Each structure stands twice: as structure tokens, then as C-alpha cells.
Amino acid sequence: MEMIRHPDHGCVEHAPRRHIHQPAGTSSGGRRLMRAARVASANMGCSQMTADQLEIDTRSVFDNIDARQVEFEAEVDGDDYQFAVQYSVLEALTGEAPDGDAEIKFNQMIDAVKDASLAALSRDSDREIIVVSENDLDQ
């Protein structure tokens, strides 16, 4: 994993990754910890780094009507993850059950979805798809 310096404040960041899936037989959790440690040590004293930033790839947002969830890909601290937000989360946030408008509700509540997604990631980072449930709203 290549690390690059941010041009504005000099903090070390990861170069963008192109693939979500890890090669077979490798420990993605172990690599994430090693990358995080390298970036943390390179950024000692840098006040611009924010822990656990989640950036949603808006092109990946997909309303999976059959599974009653909105799926998306996001990057957190340089690593790519796949998420699924249950319709019940969107209903809890907006007060209305999604009815053909789940992506709209998702986008309206994007900040709350990001927070809940980070909570889901912190409890279940080793899953292929991280499911965001109503329990993650309380975190």
C-alpha cells in the first residue's frame, strides 16, 4: 500500500485503492491494522487527520428492494468496505417506511447513515457486507 503526503497539510494518506475484495488466504484485518499503524506513526503531530472518516461512493448506491436494504461501497481510513442499510434504519430516521424512495431517504439522511455505518463497522469489520441495523443508531 502506497502512502502519499497530502499537499495542503502534509499528513500521510493512503493512495486510492482500486479493488474491494482481498486476495484469498490473506487477513484483511491484519493488513488494516498494519496500515493504520504506519499512517498513525507517519502523522504524529498532524492535527488534520480525522479518525474514522467514511466516504460513500455515491455511484455504488443501490436499492435492493428484495432484501429491503440500500447497499453501497465506502472508504474508511483508506480501506474499502461494502455496506447494507436496512429499510428499518431509514424508517427510524425519517419516520416513514421506504416505498420506492429508499435511495432518496438514504441521501436525505446521509450524515446519520454514515454515523450508523461507522458503528456497524466497529462491531463487525470482518464481514463481506456490513449490515447497518437500528441498533447502530444508538451508538
Side-chain angles (χ1 to χ4, degrees), residues 32-42:
R32 285 186 197 119
L33 288 174
M34 290 173 57
R35 275 188 237 126
R38 284 196 309 266
V39 170
S41 68

Side-chain angles (χ1 to χ4, degrees), residues 96-117:
E96 297 177 350
D99 186 22
D101 61 350
E103 283 188 53
I104 293 169
K105 291 183 185 309
F106 175 91
N107 287 320
Q108 288 173 340
M109 304 307 296
I110 196 76
D111 290 334
V113 167
K114 285 180 178 183
D115 292 340
S117 298

Side-chain angles (χ1 to χ4, degrees), residues 41-111:
S41 68
N43 283 325
M44 294 295 284
C46 182
S47 61
Q48 295 295 322
M49 288 299 287
T50 304
D52 293 331
Q53 284 186 324
L54 184 138
E55 292 298 322
I56 294 175
D57 178 357
T58 56
R59 297 168 297 162
S60 70
V61 177
F62 169 71
D63 184 5
N64 186 336
I65 296 168
D66 294 332
R68 299 190 44 78
Q69 61 191 21
V70 176
E71 300 173 1
F72 64 96
E73 297 172 6
E75 182 179 309
V76 179
D77 293 338
D79 289 314
D80 296 318
Y81 297 92
Q82 294 179 347
F83 291 89
V85 177
Q86 297 175 335
Y87 276 18
S88 61
V89 172
L90 298 175
E91 182 176 2
L93 291 171
T94 64
E96 297 177 350
D99 186 22
D101 61 350
E103 283 188 53
I104 293 169
K105 291 183 185 309
F106 175 91
N107 287 320
Q108 288 173 340
M109 304 307 296
I110 196 76
D111 290 334

Side-chain angles (χ1 to χ4, degrees), residues 5-27:
R5 291 226 172 253
H6 191 281
D8 294 331
H9 50 75
C11 293
V12 172
E13 300 176 335
H14 293 290
R17 285 184 29 185
R18 302 286 183 233
H19 302 287
I20 290 176
H21 300 287
Q22 301 292 334
T26 60
S27 167

